[in-house]
Amino acid sequence: MPRNVPEQAIKAMLSREEALFTQRNPTSKQLSEDAARNWLKGVPMHWMVDWGTPFPLFVAKAQGVDVTDADGHHYIDFCLGDTGAMFGHSPPAVVDALQREGANGFTTMMPSPDAAVVGKLLEDRFGLPCWQVTATASDANRAVIKWCRAITGRSKILVFNHCYHGAVDETYVTIDGGTPHADPALIGEVRNLTRFTKVVEFNDIPALEKALAEKDVACVLAEPIMTNVGMVLADDGYHTALRESTRKHGTLLVIDETHCMSSGPGGYTREYGLEPDAMVLGKPIAGGIPAAVYGFTQDVTDRIRKFLETRTPGHSGIGTTLSGSKIQLALMRAVLENYFTEEAFGPLVALAKRLEKGIADVIIKHGVAWHVVRVGARVEFMCTPDRPRNGGEAARVIHRPIDEAVHHYLLNRGVIVTPFHNMMLICPATTEAHVNQLVGGLDRCLTELMG
């Protein structure tokens, strides 16, 4: 019978590891205190304190999977900027392109010769013919929602409970408690978001069908698997049902691949044969510099062109000055040509399988009520015995002290996993020795916790 980790052991480990973190990192502590004079919460972006450590760990250098903090400690990074550095920190092809193109101008408000090449590469890799560039996946999701509303004449969108699509306010609607309402953590939102957003649980086909049957939903915005509340996989047949239902009710299907690009060189969509009307790619598409893209099928592109014939001239509300810049296109070309290939992904997936098995073996060895899941080069373990089928179930079993204790233990021993949940990525710089160090660290952590 799988066992739970004793609460007292978790508390003891957390207390000890927090003290050890403080002892190990005096420079980061001082930097945190200095930065607090000018930065909200002492960091350039407020969620940088969400690692749960007594103060932020300040990073001096990151290359490949090697991270060096301000106190000179070295780490193996499996978080990789929560997918932003999916191909490693400062991947060589991106560094070469940046050095080569940096002297030729960053942004001009005009297209560069790379535009035609990158457009063709995006079509070849991800299957959609028409694309646009933004600065972030959040911007891309906002833009796609507007285009879908414009060409369908519908005002509502549908998302899944506990989804994550970046800083898109309309997606922060939950049905926790039974009634749709805005996430209470959302800052400064004054609209009633439920007027324009429907929310159902992932994998719930009857709820999806009921929500779309009113034919007032412009688009469903979905990750192919949920990735920000643990990793929630689609049931067998769910994507087929999702596609059939959206088509039946005249609703466009948008797949946000920002995290799932780690599934393969064409993302989860190509790997599993999905047929979205639109797609969003963010974070790693330009090697970690601010860039994202969104693409459409030919049918949707034709509808957009027809809509534009009727549009009043003026500000569209889509696009920013730095979107589509010369440097973005140059770095996207480097990433697409060098890393979004079968040859590059093969070793990543093979090593991710080894990591998955290593964690599974540790779970079995200690008899703990945990499980591990993998999609492509992305691996995640959850401290619960059963895989959640939707965001509501997943939200109830993550972000607990046990996760924080494991994160602290590994961090103090030179291994970084994603702080918001237990996600790990394999990149070209990851080696079998790195995987063994993570698995061994988790094994020793559980040895201590289980006595």
Side-chain angles (χ1 to χ4, degrees):
M1 178 69 69
R3 300 176 294 164
N4 291 318
V5 178
E7 293 295 326
Q8 279 303 116
I10 296 170
K11 291 179 182 178
M13 178 173 283
L14 262 176
S15 177
R16 184 193 68 199
E17 295 301 324
E18 286 177 354
L20 180 58
F21 179 89
T22 300
Q23 177 189 340
R24 280 168 46 88
N25 297 293
T27 306
S28 278
K29 186 174 187 297
Q30 185 62 56
L31 286 169
S32 178
E33 292 169 358
D34 294 344
R37 300 188 187 104
N38 300 105
W39 298 103
L40 179 64
K41 291 194 171 185
V43 286
M45 178 53 71
H46 65 89
W47 46 251
M48 287 181 174
V49 300
D50 287 352
W51 290 75
T53 49
F55 47 84
L57 187 72
F58 282 71
V59 173
K61 182 179 179 181
Q63 190 168 39
V65 295
D66 300 315
V67 170
T68 305
D69 69 21
D71 286 278
H73 303 123
H74 296 277
Y75 303 83
I76 300 165
D77 189 4
F78 287 89
C79 172
L80 297 174
D82 197 23
T83 311
M86 191 175 86
F87 299 110
H89 299 288
S90 299
V94 174
V95 172
D96 290 346
L98 186 59
Q99 291 175 332
R100 183 179 65 251
E101 299 296 333
N104 297 325
F106 282 7
T107 184
T108 63
M109 288 187 69
M110 292 176 282
S112 70
D114 283 329
V117 178
V118 171
K120 183 65 167 61
L121 286 167
L122 288 168
E123 181 178 20
D124 289 347
R125 301 295 190 269
F126 299 99
L128 300 183
C130 188
W131 296 85
Q132 290 279 271
V133 178
T134 64
T136 68
S138 298
D139 292 336
N141 281 319
R142 279 189 285 262
V144 168
I145 289 170
K146 288 185 175 184
W147 285 119
C148 290
R149 284 171 166 162
I151 66 175
T152 63
R154 299 176 178 182
S155 62
K156 295 183 179 181
I157 66 169
L158 184 142
V159 296
F160 296 101
N161 196 30
H162 288 280
C163 66
Y164 183 73
H165 299 285
V168 182
D169 287 353
E170 289 141 293
T171 65
Y172 287 92
V173 177
T174 178
I175 48 175
D176 288 354
T179 303
H181 59 279
D183 187 329
L186 191 60
I187 296 172
E189 178 54 60
V190 297
R191 297 169 295 173
N192 176 7
L193 297 179
T194 61
R195 288 183 56 198
F196 303 104
T197 303
K198 295 184 178 184
V199 57
V200 299
E201 290 285 10
F202 196 65
N203 282 321
D204 189 338
I205 296 173
L208 172 72
E209 180 68 20
K210 181 179 179 181
L212 297 183
E214 297 178 42
K215 300 187 184 300
D216 57 353
V217 175
C219 68
V220 171
L221 178 59
E223 288 187 290
I225 62 172
M226 300 188 76
T227 64
N228 218 62
V229 63
M231 202 147 73
V232 180
L233 305 186
D235 289 347
D236 290 344
Y238 183 69
H239 277 296
T240 298
L242 173 61
R243 181 66 280 193
E244 290 176 352
S245 185
T246 49
R247 282 182 174 147
K248 179 171 68 174
H249 297 297
T251 298
L252 298 173
L253 176 59
V254 181
I255 294 294
D256 182 354
E257 284 267 6
T258 297
H259 283 162
C260 298
M261 294 160 72
S262 55
S263 300
Y268 190 102
T269 293
R270 268 289 173 91
E271 196 71 17
Y272 293 91
L274 307 188
E275 298 178 356
D277 298 296
M279 182 189 300
V280 168
L281 310 169
K283 290 190 181 181
I285 195 67
I289 71 125
V293 295
Y294 59 95
F296 298 113
T297 61
Q298 189 60 54
D299 176 67
V300 172
T301 302
D302 292 342
R303 293 172 69 179
I304 287 173
R305 287 174 176 153
K306 184 174 291 188
F307 166 79
L308 289 175
E309 293 174 1
T310 69
R311 177 178 166 263
T312 301
H315 296 296
S316 67
I318 296 175
T320 55
T321 304
L322 299 182
S323 297
S325 70
K326 190 174 185 299
I327 198 66
Q328 285 176 321
L329 271 295
L331 299 188
M332 279 193 275
R333 178 174 180 174
V335 169
L336 290 165
E337 287 181 338
N338 290 279
Y339 301 115
F340 277 99
T341 67
E342 294 288 351
E343 294 77 15
F345 261 91
L348 307 187
V349 174
L351 195 52
K353 289 179 180 178
R354 292 183 70 92
L355 175 59
E356 178 188 23
K357 183 180 186 304
I359 293 174
D361 288 344
V362 169
I363 291 171
I364 293 168
K365 172 183 175 180
H366 293 280
V368 288
W370 295 7
H371 71 272
V372 61
V373 65
R374 180 191 62 81
V375 174
R378 184 184 184 100
V379 180
E380 183 143 355
F381 65 89
M382 294 185 74
C383 305
T384 184
D386 302 314
R387 292 181 182 178
R389 291 187 60 251
N390 57 56
E393 290 179 9
R396 289 190 287 272
V397 295
I398 68 169
H399 304 310
R400 296 182 300 171
I402 179 60
D403 297 305
E404 200 168 326
V406 173
H407 295 166
H408 281 54
Y409 184 95
L410 293 175
L411 187 64
N412 282 334
R413 288 152 188 82
V415 177
I416 302 172
V417 299
T418 306
F420 316 115
H421 41 104
N422 307 315
M423 188 278 289
M424 298 146 287
L425 282 168
I426 301 295
C427 79
T430 314
T431 67
E432 187 173 341
H434 295 143
V435 167
N436 291 341
Q437 186 168 336
L438 191 160
V439 172
L442 186 61
D443 185 15
R444 290 187 292 274
C445 178
L446 274 172
T447 297
E448 293 190 31
L449 284 170
M450 301 305 289

